[in-house]
């Protein structure tokens, strides 16, 4: 199995903890006419939707809050599944699913595909299993696959009303997903503990584990259970990949290897080629050069796209602990291969993210250990001086981009040290967090580590639930996190009675309270104030007003003076962000001249300029709701900024502007 025990530690998220009901013919049961209908999925809350309101988070059972975008997705997904069963065309199905452009709802496609196949013949069951394997990672995100299976297991009690053999069939689908490497074995244990004792889902998981996955030669049995109606199973493809790589390592015939890959006709499964080639390079040092050269050529000739290459490496990162049992220096070897691939230009190292993310793994890394000591010193110095600029300077000198986890470690260390001190330091920690502008993923990972270790922290800090919940809520109020990041933090697999789950519940409760923003902002008595007396929200208002005044005919020098007098140079990325949004919304670039003056006079540094552009990139999906061509306009502004030297040529907004799923920036 490729994915380790911690696969979903902070990648799995569930929009709402609602029970999914799948029955035939609406609210009836047996004998009620109609097709498969999903009841509670109507209440899925999407922060990107124009109709989204934060109040929806508390009203999870109201039948009034039907998401029109999700309703549209459901109808189209059902049609796509029906067409697939009729045509057996994987590529067309993948393209149709991509064209929907609603990746945050793909869990429903997984659920719909399997639930419809369960009520059909073995042919359709086999087709469904093969389709999922083909779509995995490239079209349907691993977290969406996980969530789709989770909802199916939760719906077992309702499914069994119309499909008597639900326990066995759904168990077999789960076993097949594990064998096909699209569902981690950890799914079984995690969801077993999360389900009520009387739930049919328990029987499904037990059947999958003991009836299928524990049997001798279980992989072959599971693969062939539905008659192998497809000419090409996943195991067949994997075997062919192994054969072509072994043959290439011996012969060095690149053209033949490329021909073999083309003959496979599995573009959505090319990450498996990357994964197996890199593992072979780790195992066979003599073949390393040939294999890396082959992957480089495959990338340059667009045989294997950059997304598949990144996913191949990511899957190895996910399983690195298991690999270390057979290859003692696996971590060092992998790091070396990543560095070589990145230096040759066919791998974007910054795109690699660990699906499992635990501090235990990080401690093993000497670089991270050294950084933790530095981070503690930086934070303690900050608590004495309150100098945000100095913290920024220290962190920039550490080159945090070399290892993405370092920013998450800093977030955790900052909150940990603040929780053990007085309100002054807690306020300072929140202000620093909003001033550093770390990517949302890193802040999410930092809080996830805190949530996962909350029970241990409680031994030293008894009020950890209250303090950590307030830090979470404050991060949302300060725009460091989006409201629905809270659904992602903790991975959605925390036990109901765990300390971490209590923290999340309290954070949501704080945010849902009346006048929550103002109360949370003043929670530690500082109101988000910096040493000069300003509050972050006040500074944002001041920036907005001075830009409005400048746009209506104000003087450039006066505007620059006002920006300087704010005394918050670490926050100048907000000037860039608001200016760019103004340009995009009003389609004229008077404000661009102000940015030009600020950059030329050194008021806005290249780092702050890059951060400002990055902030806009992250909010493009929301901005596009009001300005349909926002992405096109922003792309032009990025190129313009690169031309005049504001941005580094490596700046790319494609990754940053990936659709936000449930308030979470993915991949």
């Amino acid at each position: 199995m490729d994915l380790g025990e911690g696969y979903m530690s902070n990648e799995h998220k569930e929009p709402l903890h609602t029970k999914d009901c799948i029955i035939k013919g609406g609210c009836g049961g047996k004998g009620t006419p109609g097709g498969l209908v999903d009841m509670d999925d109507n209440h899925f809350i999407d922060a990107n939707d124009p109709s989204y309101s934060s109040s929806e988070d508390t009203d999870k059972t109201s039948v009034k809050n039907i998401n029109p975008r999700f309703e549209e997705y459901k109808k189209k997904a059902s049609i796509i599944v029906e067409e697939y069963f009729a045509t057996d065309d994987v590529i067309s199905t993948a393209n149709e699913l991509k064209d929907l452009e609603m990746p945050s709802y793909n869990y429903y496609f997984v659920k719909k595909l399997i639930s419809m196949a369960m009520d059909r013949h073995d042919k359709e069951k086999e087709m469904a299993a093969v389709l999922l394997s083909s779509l995995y990672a490239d079209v349907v995100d691993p977290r969406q696959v996980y969530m789709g299976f989770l909802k199916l297991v939760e719906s077992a009690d309702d499914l069994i009303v119309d499909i008597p053999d639900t326990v066995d069939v759904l168990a077999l689908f789960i076993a097949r997903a594990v064998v096909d490497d699209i569902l981690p074995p950890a799914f079984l244990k995690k969801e077993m503990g999360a389900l009520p004792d009387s739930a049919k889902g328990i029987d499904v998981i037990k059947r999958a584990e003991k009836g299928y996955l524990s049997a001798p030669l279980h992989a072959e049995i599971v693969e062939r259970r539905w008659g192998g109606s497809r000419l090409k199973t996943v195991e067949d493809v994997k075997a062919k990949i192994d054969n072509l790589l072994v043959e290439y390592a011996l012969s060095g015939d690149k053209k033949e290897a490329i021909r073999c890959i083309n003959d496979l006709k599995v573009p959505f499964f090319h990450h498996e080629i990357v994964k197996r080639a890199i593992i072979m390079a780790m195992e066979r040092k003599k073949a390393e050069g040939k294999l890396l050269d082959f992957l480089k050529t495959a990338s340059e000739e667009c045989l294997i796209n950059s997304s598949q290459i990144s996913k191949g490496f990511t899957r190895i990162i996910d399983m690195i602990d298991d690999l270390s049992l057979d290859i003692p220096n696996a971590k060092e070897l992998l790091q070396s291969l990543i560095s070589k691939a990145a230096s040759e230009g066919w791998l974007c190292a910054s795109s690699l993210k660990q699906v499992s993310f635990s501090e235990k793994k990080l401690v093993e890394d000497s670089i991270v250990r050294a950084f933790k000591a530095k981070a503690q010193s930086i934070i303690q110095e900050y608590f004495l001086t309150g100098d945000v600029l100095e913290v920024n300077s220290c962190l920039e000198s550490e080159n945090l981009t070399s290892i993405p986890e370092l920013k998450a470690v800093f977030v955790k260390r900052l909150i940990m040290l603040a929780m053990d001190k007085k309100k002054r330091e807690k306020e300072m920690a929140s202000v620093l967090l909003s001033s550093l502008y770390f990517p949302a993923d890193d802040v999410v990972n930092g809080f996830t580590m805190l949530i996962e270790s909350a029970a241990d922290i409680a031994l030293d800090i008894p009020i950890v639930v209250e303090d950590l919940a307030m830090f979470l809520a404050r991060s949302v109020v300060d725009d460091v996190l989006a409201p629905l990041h809270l659904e992602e933090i903790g991975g959605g697999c925390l036990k109901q009675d765990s300390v971490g789950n209590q923290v999340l519940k309290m954070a949501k409760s704080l945010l849902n309270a009346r006048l929550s923003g103002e109360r949370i902002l003043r929670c530690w008595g500082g109101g988000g104030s910096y040493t000069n007396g300003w509050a972050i929200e006040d500074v944002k208002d001041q920036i907005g007003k001075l830009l409005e005044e400048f746009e209506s005919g104000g003087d450039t020098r006066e505007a620059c003076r006002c920006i300087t007098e704010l005394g918050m140079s670490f926050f100048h990325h907000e000037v860039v962000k608001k200016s760019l949004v103004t340009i995009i919304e009003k389609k004229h670039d008077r404000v661009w001249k102000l940015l030009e003056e600020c950059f030329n006079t050194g008021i806005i540094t290249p780092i702050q300029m890059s951060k400002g552009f990055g902030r806009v990139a992250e909010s493009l999906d929301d901005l596009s709701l009001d300005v349909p061509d926002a992405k096109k306009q922003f792309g032009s502004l990025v190129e313009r900024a690169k031309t005049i030297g504001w941005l580094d040529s490596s700046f790319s907004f494609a990754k940053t502007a990936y659709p936000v799923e449930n308030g979470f920036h993915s991949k």
Side-chain angles (χ1 to χ4, degrees):
M1 176 62 199
D2 294 339
L3 302 176
E5 182 72 16
Y7 171 77
M8 294 300 295
S9 63
N10 64 304
E11 286 287 299
H12 167 225
K13 61 179 183 293
E14 184 175 349
L16 287 176
H17 297 291
T18 54
K19 190 174 183 297
D20 225 17
C21 299
I22 305 178
I23 61 175
K24 277 192 178 179
C27 299
K30 279 193 174 184
T32 304
L36 287 169
V37 177
D38 294 89
M39 301 296 289
D40 290 346
D41 276 340
N42 288 337
H43 314 298
F44 180 94
I45 293 177
D46 178 12
N48 300 319
D49 194 271
S51 61
Y52 168 75
S53 168
S54 60
S55 64
E56 290 177 343
D57 287 355
T58 54
D59 188 11
K60 300 177 183 177
T61 58
S62 172
V63 294
K64 296 179 182 178
N65 294 332
I66 294 177
N67 188 325
R69 294 183 73 240
F70 185 52
E71 285 298 303
E72 177 190 0
Y73 180 95
K74 286 172 63 177
K75 293 175 184 177
K76 291 182 178 179
S78 298
I79 294 171
I80 291 173
V81 173
E82 289 285 4
E83 288 181 350
Y84 170 66
F85 285 151
T87 64
D88 198 10
D89 189 336
V90 172
I91 294 178
S92 293
T93 303
N95 290 334
E96 288 177 14
L97 195 57
K98 281 182 177 179
D99 289 343
L100 293 183
E101 295 184 341
M102 290 187 264
S104 60
Y105 299 143
N106 280 345
Y107 76 93
Y108 176 82
F109 180 84
V110 174
K111 188 182 79 169
K112 191 67 174 176
L113 173 68
I114 293 175
S115 62
M116 289 176 68
M118 286 172 64
D119 205 25
R120 301 196 181 203
H121 298 296
D122 285 355
K123 175 189 174 185
E124 285 82 4
K125 293 182 178 73
E126 178 67 17
M127 288 172 66
V130 172
L131 179 63
L132 280 182
S133 295
S134 301
L135 301 182
Y136 178 79
D138 193 55
V139 180
V140 180
D141 189 88
R143 293 162 301 176
Q144 296 290 316
V145 174
Y146 191 106
M147 194 187 305
F149 275 98
L150 172 62
K151 287 187 168 290
L152 281 162
V153 170
E154 291 177 344
S155 303
D157 290 282
D158 300 299
L159 280 167
I160 205 167
V161 174
D162 296 290
I163 307 173
D165 56 349
T166 286
V167 171
D168 186 66
V169 178
L170 185 51
L172 188 51
F173 265 110
I174 291 172
R176 176 65 176 268
V178 172
V179 169
D180 286 348
D181 285 351
I182 66 172
L183 194 65
F187 174 89
L188 303 171
K189 292 181 181 178
K190 289 178 180 176
E191 302 316 323
M192 177 79 81
L195 291 166
D197 293 338
S198 60
K200 280 293 178 184
I202 295 286
D203 297 334
V204 170
I205 293 174
K206 286 181 178 178
R207 177 66 173 154
E209 186 174 25
K210 297 178 181 178
Y212 292 111
L213 294 174
S214 299
L217 302 175
H218 69 272
E220 184 177 349
I221 293 171
V222 170
E223 283 280 1
R224 308 294 178 182
R225 177 60 184 271
W226 289 315
S229 59
R230 296 294 299 239
L231 296 175
K232 186 161 51 184
T233 66
V234 172
E235 284 304 309
D236 292 334
V237 174
K238 289 179 180 178
K240 289 180 180 179
I241 290 172
D242 278 336
N243 290 338
L244 76 87
L245 289 174
V246 169
E247 187 175 334
Y248 169 73
L250 293 173
S251 68
D253 190 340
K254 202 179 296 181
K255 288 184 178 179
E256 176 62 17
I258 289 174
R259 185 192 66 78
C260 291
I261 291 177
N262 282 323
D263 286 347
L264 289 176
K265 295 180 180 178
V266 286
F268 306 117
F269 205 55
H270 282 173
H271 54 81
E272 186 72 16
I273 298 172
V274 178
K275 186 193 80 172
R276 289 175 181 265
I278 295 300
I279 291 175
M280 187 178 291
M282 293 165 67
E283 293 173 334
R284 306 181 186 187
K285 190 65 179 175
K286 291 182 180 179
E288 178 186 307
K290 284 183 181 178
L291 291 164
L292 289 181
D293 184 52
F294 170 65
L295 290 177
K296 179 183 178 183
T297 301
S299 172
E300 290 174 345
E301 296 184 3
C302 297
L303 176 65
I304 302 178
N305 64 41
S306 59
S307 173
Q308 292 288 306
I309 289 173
S310 293
K311 283 164 186 168
F313 274 94
T314 297
R315 294 186 78 184
I316 301 174
I317 293 172
D318 294 337
M319 61 183 289
I320 195 65
D321 284 344
D322 292 331
L323 277 176
S324 297
L325 299 176
D326 300 315
I327 309 172
N329 59 337
K331 291 183 180 180
E332 292 76 11
L333 288 172
L334 179 59
Q335 187 58 52
S336 173
L337 293 172
I338 289 173
S339 298
K340 289 178 182 178
S343 65
E344 291 175 358
W346 54 274
L347 171 69
C348 179
S350 63
S351 69
L352 301 180
K353 298 178 182 179
Q354 288 184 328
V355 179
S356 62
F357 195 102
S358 64
E359 192 179 16
K360 188 175 181 181
K361 288 184 180 180
L362 298 177
V363 173
E364 296 173 2
D365 193 300
S366 60
I367 297 176
V368 176
R369 284 201 302 270
F371 175 73
K372 284 184 177 180
K374 291 180 182 178
Q376 181 136 338
S377 175
I378 292 170
I379 294 165
Q380 288 173 337
E381 181 72 17
Y382 167 68
F383 285 156
L384 292 174
T385 65
D387 193 340
V388 175
L389 295 176
E390 180 63 23
V391 176
N392 271 283
S393 176
C394 291
L395 291 179
E396 286 169 9
S397 68
E398 290 296 324
N399 189 24
L400 300 186
T401 56
S402 61
I403 301 179
E405 294 84 354
L406 295 182
K407 292 177 183 176
V409 169
F410 186 86
V411 171
K412 180 183 178 184
R413 189 64 60 186
L414 173 65
I415 304 301
M416 282 280 292
L417 290 174
M419 285 196 297
D420 204 25
K421 294 184 178 290
K422 297 180 180 179
K423 288 184 176 181
R424 172 183 174 272
E425 285 79 8
K426 291 172 184 173
E427 175 66 20
M428 291 177 72
S430 285
V431 171
L432 178 60
L433 197 56
S434 67
S435 306
L436 292 176
Y437 179 58
F438 281 173
D441 283 355
D442 296 315
V443 180
V444 166
N445 286 335
F447 272 111
T448 296
M449 290 193 290
L450 284 162
I451 289 291
E452 290 175 347
S453 57
D456 295 329
I457 298 173
L459 299 175
D460 299 313
I461 307 174
I463 58 170
V464 65
V465 173
E466 293 83 354
D467 276 0
L468 189 49
M470 188 60 78
F471 270 113
L472 265 173
R474 177 64 179 272
S475 295
V476 173
V477 171
D478 285 345
D479 286 338
V480 176
L481 296 175
L484 290 183
H485 274 117
L486 300 184
E487 298 298 340
E488 178 197 350
I489 292 172
C493 52
L494 293 170
K495 291 186 177 179
Q496 291 296 316
D497 58 347
S498 67
V499 178
N501 199 47
Q502 292 175 38
V503 172
L504 288 172
K505 284 183 177 179
M506 179 170 283
K508 293 172 187 176
S509 177
L510 289 168
L511 289 165
N512 288 327
R514 186 171 176 271
L515 300 176
S516 62
E518 183 177 346
R519 291 180 180 179
I520 293 169
L521 193 62
R522 311 288 174 185
C523 60
W524 289 306
S529 61
Y530 178 56
T531 52
N532 63 4
W534 286 109
I536 296 294
E537 287 302 311
D538 293 337
V539 174
K540 289 182 180 180
D541 289 341
Q542 289 292 325
I543 291 171
K545 288 175 182 176
L546 75 85
L547 288 177
E548 285 178 12
E549 186 175 334
F550 174 77
E551 193 192 13
S552 0
D555 181 66
T556 303
R557 289 186 179 181
E558 177 64 16
C560 289
R561 184 188 65 77
C562 291
I563 293 172
T564 303
E565 285 185 353
L566 289 174
M568 299 182 78
S569 56
F570 62 86
F571 205 59
H572 283 174
H573 55 79
E574 186 71 16
V575 177
V576 179
K577 174 192 166 187
K578 287 185 179 293
S579 297
L580 293 174
V581 170
T582 299
I583 293 169
I584 291 171
E585 288 180 339
K586 300 190 177 180
K587 292 183 171 60
H588 64 76
D589 60 357
R590 174 172 165 75
V591 182
W592 184 271
K593 294 178 182 178
L594 175 61
L595 289 181
E596 194 170 36
E597 180 67 19
C598 288
F599 186 83
N600 292 338
T601 56
I603 295 174
I604 296 178
T605 65
I607 291 174
Q608 291 294 315
M609 186 68 77
S610 180
K611 287 179 179 178
F613 271 86
R615 279 249 170 139
V616 178
E618 289 181 342
S619 62
L620 272 180
D621 286 307
D622 291 333
L623 191 56
S624 295
L625 298 176
D626 299 315
V627 186
D629 65 340
K631 291 184 181 180
K632 182 179 179 181
Q633 283 195 65
F634 182 66
S636 299
L637 293 175
V638 168
E639 293 306 315
R640 187 175 173 186
K642 286 181 179 180
T643 302
I644 58 179
W646 292 4
L647 296 176
D648 186 83
S649 59
S650 62
F651 181 90
S652 171
F653 72 93
K655 177 187 69 174
T656 317
Y658 190 88
V660 179
E661 298 175 16
N662 309 327
F664 160 60
H665 299 279
S666 69
K667 4 21 193 158

